[in-house]
Amino acid sequence: MKFFHLSDLHIGKQLHHYNLRADQEHILSEVISQAENIHPDAILIAGDIYDKSVPSGEAVSLFDDFLTRLSNIEPAIPTLIIAGNHDSSQRLDYASRLLGSHHIYISGKVPETEDEHLKRVTLADGYGEVTFYLLPFLKPGYVRGLCGGELPESYTDAVKAVLEREDIDFSERNVLLSHQFYTGNGEMPETCDSELLSVGGMDNVDVSSVKEFDYVALGHLHGSQRVGMDHIRYCGTLLKYSVSEAGQEKSLHVVELGAKGDPVCVEKILLHPLRDVRKLKGNLADIIAQAEESQQEDYVSVTLTDEIDPYNPKEQLEKVYSHILEVRTDNERTRKKLEFSEEDIRIEDPVSVFSDFYREMQGREMTEEEQGILDKVFDTVKGDAP
């Protein structure tokens, strides 16, 4: 059985101040083209459909167009979707029954009561049936009702609480869609600036809780990677959503399941974004001179190394690059500002700190009258302190 593994579409997202609608429309059209050519048995989307829980009308329209074009492919390709942490479960679940009749299966909420269970979709190929379990993003508090009213001690326990009551037959082939931060087998997944994770990894889920599945289609992390085992994978985003992703290679994951027990085959098809995200570093003249025409529409982060600050660098860069994300400076002067030891750190009294600030802003020392006013202010503050 062959299926596409997608995640983290983040429809409606902006890159710095740039609207990415055209970029997202372009890359989703490429997915449609691959679906028409390969015609997989299913398409899995593992969460974060939208970038915000209340998406804009433009974002909803774009995703609607994507699903409509998918559903027009004949014969029909089942599309399985779960909610991520950026999605509103209620909004994503809207019209899910109707969409199910068009082979679009959406699961926005995890089971919260004993009467509720994970949505599952069963498909078949020459080796028999494959059951897909749809597990949306969860927090321990979401599944308190499945644990006798007690709060699970960890995210791992919460995932186990949901899965263990499903009575899954692991002698058959099973696939899980999940949107969480998975770790395990001594490996820590690679993350980037566009992902929001709890400090200290408190929201991590150990892969031991899902290792019995034949394939685990993960969403949440933006870089393509395995987690502990070859059959547990993040496919990553279709586009680069931060400067920290500039070095990543974005691809469409095509997963193939054979007979039970056979290794999973994952093919990565390189994607072709409308605009790339790139980092440029060097002196201003060289960066401008080396600008290739094919890259001038890309999103660029520029770090200038000129020792003497050039005149209006951004204005000069905009003559060759149309989508500048940021312009930074890295030279001897800026590095010296960052180089300090513990001996260099001194704690001044508030009056001295403000005096230094005033001198920096006004270009002169305070007058005796101004100094007197400042002293009175701080004496009052000290008098009011407990």
Side-chain angles (χ1 to χ4, degrees), residues 9-21:
L9 306 182
H10 287 286
I11 297 175
K13 185 176 179 61
Q14 291 191 336
L15 181 56
H16 289 223
H17 55 282
Y18 292 106
N19 187 316
L20 296 179
R21 178 186 171 88

Side-chain angles (χ1 to χ4, degrees), residues 351 354-355 358 364-371 374:
V351 174
F354 186 85
S355 298
Y358 186 92
R364 64 175 178 83
E365 300 289 346
M366 286 190 290
T367 64
E368 289 187 10
E369 182 181 1
E370 290 168 338
Q371 184 70 52
L374 181 64

Side-chain angles (χ1 to χ4, degrees), residues 92-125:
L92 207 59
D93 262 335
Y94 178 74
S96 59
R97 291 184 182 180
L98 176 62
L99 291 172
S101 64
H102 293 274
H103 306 283
I104 298 173
Y105 305 94
I106 300 177
S107 180
K109 293 176 59 180
V110 293
E112 296 179 354
T113 68
E114 289 295 332
D115 296 331
E116 297 176 340
H117 288 270
L118 287 180
K119 181 174 287 188
R120 65 179 72 181
V121 178
T122 301
L123 305 176
D125 62 7

Side-chain angles (χ1 to χ4, degrees), residues 328-381:
R328 299 183 175 186
T329 300
D330 180 18
N331 54 27
E332 186 175 351
R333 175 174 52 80
T334 59
R335 285 192 293 271
K336 281 184 176 179
K337 286 185 177 181
L338 297 175
E339 291 175 359
F340 59 89
S341 62
E342 292 183 3
E343 291 77 14
D344 295 322
I345 300 174
R346 67 184 192 278
I347 300 176
E348 300 276 11
D349 66 273
V351 174
S352 298
V353 172
F354 186 85
S355 298
D356 291 342
F357 173 75
Y358 186 92
R359 186 188 313 111
E360 183 73 21
M361 293 295 99
Q362 300 297 325
R364 64 175 178 83
E365 300 289 346
M366 286 190 290
T367 64
E368 289 187 10
E369 182 181 1
E370 290 168 338
Q371 184 70 52
I373 293 172
L374 181 64
D375 290 339
K376 288 181 180 179
V377 170
F378 280 107
D379 287 342
T380 302
V381 171

Side-chain angles (χ1 to χ4, degrees), residues 273-333:
L274 186 64
R275 303 176 185 89
D276 200 359
V277 175
R278 297 190 296 117
K279 292 181 180 180
L280 304 175
K281 186 173 184 178
N283 65 62
L284 179 62
D286 288 343
I287 290 176
I288 292 175
Q290 295 168 7
E292 298 180 16
E293 186 175 350
S294 62
Q295 299 176 342
Q296 291 180 8
E297 291 292 317
D298 289 347
Y299 298 106
V300 295
S301 167
V302 180
T303 301
L304 298 176
T305 58
D306 302 75
E307 290 301 331
I308 299 176
D309 292 342
Y311 177 72
N312 284 345
K314 187 174 182 182
E315 183 176 312
Q316 295 189 58
L317 287 165
E318 286 174 339
K319 294 178 181 179
V320 290
Y321 289 108
S322 59
H323 295 83
I324 297 174
L325 301 177
E326 59 187 359
V327 179
R328 299 183 175 186
T329 300
D330 180 18
N331 54 27
E332 186 175 351
R333 175 174 52 80

Side-chain angles (χ1 to χ4, degrees), residues 1-9 31 40-49 63 66-67 70-71 76-84 87 92-93 96 99-108 118-124 129-136 173-179 213 215-219 235 253 257:
M1 180 168 292
K2 186 175 290 187
F3 53 85
F4 289 178
H5 173 193
L6 315 176
S7 79
D8 297 85
L9 306 182
V31 173
D41 297 295
I43 295 176
L44 317 184
I45 307 180
D48 279 359
I49 308 306
F63 187 53
F66 175 64
L67 290 183
L70 275 182
S71 64
I77 303 174
T79 302
L80 287 57
I81 303 168
I82 62 171
D87 299 312
L92 207 59
D93 262 335
S96 59
L99 291 172
S101 64
H102 293 274
H103 306 283
I104 298 173
Y105 305 94
I106 300 177
S107 180
L118 287 180
K119 181 174 287 188
R120 65 179 72 181
V121 178
T122 301
L123 305 176
E129 294 184 341
V130 178
T131 302
F132 295 82
Y133 290 86
L134 279 59
L135 175 60
R173 292 179 298 167
N174 300 283
V175 173
L176 177 69
L177 282 73
S178 180
H179 189 98
F213 286 89
Y215 185 78
V216 183
L218 298 178
C235 62
H253 281 45
L257 286 182

